[in-house]
Structure formats: C-alpha cells, structure tokens
Amino acid sequence: MSRDAWHARIEYGGAVAGAGFLVAPRTVLTCAHVVRDSEPGLLTVSFPNRPDLGVLPAAVSAHGGWAGGVTDPGDLAVLELADDVPLSVARFAPPGIELGLATQVLVAYGFPDGYDEGQLAEYRAVSATRIADEWVQLEAVTAHGQPLTHGFSGAAATLPDGRVVGMIAQVAGEHGVRVARMLPTEVLARHWPGFGELVPAHGDSPDAARRLYGLVRRAADAGLDCDPNRLYMDAVGPFGPPLPPDGFTSLRSAAGYVHWEVEDPDAVARFADRLEELLSASPACAAVSWSPILVELDRSGAGADQVTVEVSAYRDGLRRPVGAVRLPRARVRAYVQECVDEAFTHLAPGADELITFVLPREWLNEPVAGWECGPDDSTPLGCAHPLVVADRSRHHSARLRHQLGKKWQRSGSGFTSPTVHRVDCGNRERPAGLRKRLRDKEAELALYATPPVAAPDHFEAGLNTPVPVLLWPRSGCPGADHGTPCAGTAFLDGLVPYLHGASPAELPRLIQTLREEVEAADDPDRHWARDVQLLWDDPRCFPEPPASLHTPVA
C-alpha cells in the first residue's frame, strides 16, 4: 500500500476540478478556486492510490477568505468528508525550509486532461522571496516535463522524501508555460488557523501542538479575557525573543508565533500550561458547554419551492459538515431528521447537544421544535433535545455577533440576574423607541406576547439591538385589536415567573423541560406555553466565522 495514498482528486459533477491532499482523517485541503462553483451534493473526493475507497462526498467547511480574483490572497479551502478514511495523512516539513528550496526538486501530483489516474510534475522554487508575501514562484526542472496545468491546482508540493512544503495555487494559463506559484505552509497556516497544529516546528511534538491549539479554541469558545502579550512573555521568559513591534492582537496569533517562531521547544508547553491555568480559573468557561448541531435553511435561487439545507456539528470548537443539499420544501423535514441523527456521531462522548435552526427572518416562526425525531420516533425534537432558533441575518453579521459576544462575556457565567423586557400585545410604541429602551436597559431577554408576523417591527428591534434571547408564542395573540384577557398575556404571565432566577445560559434546557410539560399535559392546546419558540444566540458556541458549506467564496 502506498504511503502517499493521501493525494486526492477533487471532482465537481463528475468532472475533475483539481487536486488536494488529506491532512486529517476526514479533512482534505485544496484551493478555493477549485471548488468556487460547487453546489451541495455535487462535490466529491477520491484517492487514486486507493481506488477501493471509491468516490466520497465532500463539503467545504472553511476557506481562507479568497475574494475570487487571480491575485487575491487566501486561495485555500478545507473540505470535510462524511467519515474518516483509513489512510495515513500528509506529513509536513518544518516551517522555514523553503529557504533551501532553490536547490531541491519539488514534486506535485495532479490530474491534467487525459490522466484520471494522475501525473507527476517536477519544479523548483525560483527564490525563497515570496511574491506579495503570499506565493513562492516555481519553474519547471526541465523543458520537456509535465507542466503544471489545470488539474494541479490544490496539489501538495512535496520534497523528495514526501514531506509537504506547500500547495500549488496558480498554474500555467497557456500551453507550454512552465511557471507556477505555490502557497508555502506558513501562508496556509495564516489563512486557516486549524492548519498550524498539523505542522511540526522546532522539535515540538504533534501532541504538544494539538494541546496548544485545543486550549486556544477553548479560550475562544469561552470568551476568555486575557492579555496575549503577557502570555507570550510568560512562555519565552525574560531572556527569550522580545515581543514583535506591534505585539499580538489575539490569543491565536500569540500561540502561533510561539509555535512557529520561538526556537525553544519548551515555550509551547509553558504557553499551554499558563493558558490552561487561566481557563480553569475563569467562571466564563463553565458557562459555555453546549455542542451545537447546526441546521441552516435558506431560500434557494433555483426556484420558489427550493430550499438549501446545510447540517453540521461542532466538536472541539471546529465545525464538521454532515450534509448539504438543495431540496423542494416538502422534503426538507425528512432530510433534516436523517442528518440530525447522523450529526450525533460527530459529537464528543458526553457532550451536551444543542440543536440550532438558523432560519431566514420570515421563517423564524416555523414549528421546528415540533418536528418529529424520525419516521420511527414521534417525539418532538424540542422535547427530546434542547432546541433553539437563530436569525440567519444576525448569525452571519460580524457586527451583531461582536455585540452579542460582548454581552455574554460581560457577565462571565451568563447573566445570573438577567434584565428582562416584556413586550405586551397592544404595544403601540414606535420601534425606534423600543430599540432605545432595549439598549438603555441592556436587556438580555425580550419576551413577546405575539408571534413575529403580528409585530414585525418590534421583533426587528429586538433582533437588531441585539438582544441575546427572545421568546414568544408561535400561535399567541394575533394582534392589538381584541378584548382581554388574551393568550399572549397569559403566555407572558406564565413565562415571567417560570424564568425567575434562571440564567440565559440555562434556557435551552429549561425550555426543553417546559415543552415536555406541555406535551405531557392533559390538554396541551390549553397550556399557556403551547408552541413556545426560543431564539437563543451565544456566538461563543459557534467560534468559527459562519460560512456557507458549499462555496468558499465569501
């Protein structure tokens, strides 16, 4: 069996789109431009040195921020397979080895036209100097060898011993041209934070790197407030390398600098030890314990009845794709049931699951908590598991995520005495006035007596202020013109004492219990909490920037 079976062929709709390489048991690295036009369900990966593995479906889980132009930086995409593959992953050379590349032959394994099984090309680096601090220029070793053409984009550039030093990112645009460009490993790590822990540096062990970056992800999940410059100085000591001129703006940048630039192999362990101490002492860390299963629905441009569905699971702070497809709306529920069940295989043992439906604003009142668990289990999803909804626009807004993150972090363990604002039916306040009151009160919970369709402007004020938690009855008071009492008032009168003393961090579990009580009642339709809908938004549970799983282009 070939030890280099990790070389991958990327196909879209059955046609070769480029190459890639396996960097983790279910993770393949390639170029963003290779998968730029891919749609859910049509992207596949195969391993030509292991044809017995067949063609495997893949989805884009992260990208390097590539904007779509030939000379735009960040031309990197991370593909996730549905399951682990039984192959050894690519091995990487230490950073900085490109300083000697001009004297070494680099080999790329690609798939030019007519060579489905692959073809090898030999190139050398022109210089260690990077073009625009992004690319290393390559030129062919001979004038008659295989040029780097279509089918080589995304291929690993390896030393003769098989260790990877970079990825082929730009290939010859004309026949016979034997010049190309490579993204070296340091640049790959800059554009994809998860790459750093895969590459050895200065004699440290893979376990030490994994521990370091795992702690960094935990700190990001928890919103840990710490000084990365002080952590760096603790790691290198008084006689170590000084701080860079501008210091560090993030914990990850400080960790990456210690890992890649500091030659003392013990510095990584010291940095990790100190970070672990801070995490253990922080009350915020105890509050962030959810492992989300994300179900994202959106209207598809392919037709009025078409819906794009993307399901993923979070583990160790990383998003793992489960399924992505475009379906008629009538088939969405069955597909979600199937994928949610599969998503549980991606969670860590003992993890607290949180099913999160990310919906367009006009679909926030969908009865997703009442969907059955499966064809053989009629239990409502919202009774079987903690289940919340999130507004798609807000979920993808960096500005609102930043504001929400500050609200959660400010109270550490999650607003032990949250500020609650009640929006009764018949509320004739102007939306601008409500927005100001929510902001002045720094409200953490907004409780509505009506569903969104009955008071869209008031809901928009709560969503855009932003308030971390909104609750309402899906079938509550239909509007302002009615006599009293009404279902909306009964809902708020029952909900306020029920939530008394509860932290918003606990609400997904608390509302699950409430839904179970309603389901078990003698007359569920007369219960004050029937059809309760919970919008719960803690960006710390979704540490990666939200991005479409089927296209790497922002």
Side-chain angles (χ1 to χ4, degrees), residues 61 217 221 289-296 311-322 343-349 351-354 356 358 395-396 401 538-547 549:
S61 63
R217 285 195 295 270
D221 292 355
S289 58
W290 296 111
S291 293
I293 293 174
L294 198 70
V295 181
E296 188 160 0
V311 181
S312 53
Y314 278 81
R315 179 168 178 170
D316 298 329
L318 297 178
R319 184 176 179 180
R320 296 169 176 255
V322 176
F344 278 88
T345 65
H346 294 261
L347 301 184
D352 291 320
E353 77 279 3
L354 176 67
T356 303
V358 179
H395 189 74
H396 288 271
R401 283 171 58 87
D538 183 353
R540 299 176 301 172
C541 288
F542 310 96
E544 292 183 297
L549 298 180

Side-chain angles (χ1 to χ4, degrees), residues 207-232:
D207 289 341
R210 281 192 290 269
R211 177 179 176 240
L212 172 67
Y213 289 100
L215 289 168
V216 169
R217 285 195 295 270
R218 277 184 55 197
D221 292 355
L224 182 68
D225 185 15
C226 67
D227 181 359
N229 297 308
R230 179 58 186 269
L231 265 175
Y232 173 80

Side-chain angles (χ1 to χ4, degrees), residues 32 35 38 40 59-66 74 76-80 191-193 294-298 308-314 317-324 358 391-398 401 539 542-554:
V35 293
S38 64
V60 179
S61 63
H63 61 82
W66 183 61
L76 170 152
V78 182
L79 309 185
E80 289 292 329
H191 293 306
W192 177 39
L294 198 70
V295 181
E296 188 160 0
L297 307 182
D298 193 19
T308 298
V309 186
E310 298 174 351
V311 181
S312 53
Y314 278 81
L318 297 178
R319 184 176 179 180
R320 296 169 176 255
V322 176
V358 179
D391 175 61
R392 178 178 169 83
S393 175
R394 186 158 94 161
H395 189 74
H396 288 271
S397 168
R401 283 171 58 87
F542 310 96
E544 292 183 297
S548 171
L549 298 180
H550 64 269
T551 173
V553 182

Side-chain angles (χ1 to χ4, degrees), residues 287 408 413-418 445 469 499-508 510 536:
W408 283 99
S413 58
F415 322 123
T416 53
S417 298
L445 275 72
V469 180
L499 299 180
H500 179 71
S503 161
E506 305 166 359
L507 285 186
L510 194 64
W536 185 93

Side-chain angles (χ1 to χ4, degrees), residues 101-190:
L101 292 185
T103 62
Q104 301 188 59
V105 173
L106 300 180
V107 181
Y109 191 147
F111 304 93
D113 293 341
Y115 293 92
D116 288 345
E117 74 284 3
Q119 189 81 336
L120 299 176
E122 292 187 335
Y123 275 66
R124 283 196 179 98
V126 174
S127 168
T129 301
R130 296 181 197 158
I131 299 172
D133 197 32
E134 183 83 0
W135 300 278
V136 170
Q137 183 171 323
L138 305 179
E139 290 184 352
V141 172
T142 67
H144 52 271
Q146 169 66 49
L148 290 178
T149 58
H150 171 75
F152 278 90
S153 291
T158 67
L159 297 171
D161 63 6
R163 290 181 299 164
V164 178
V165 296
M167 179 175 71
I168 305 300
Q170 294 183 10
V171 297
E174 300 177 6
H175 182 71
V177 176
R178 300 178 185 275
V179 177
R181 290 180 178 181
M182 173 188 81
L183 292 173
T185 52
E186 296 94 322
V187 174
L188 295 175
R190 181 199 309 159

Side-chain angles (χ1 to χ4, degrees), residues 423-431 458 479-482:
V423 185
D424 286 277
C425 56
N427 187 321
R428 299 187 182 277
E429 183 176 18
R430 291 180 59 244
H458 286 163
D481 298 326
H482 60 76

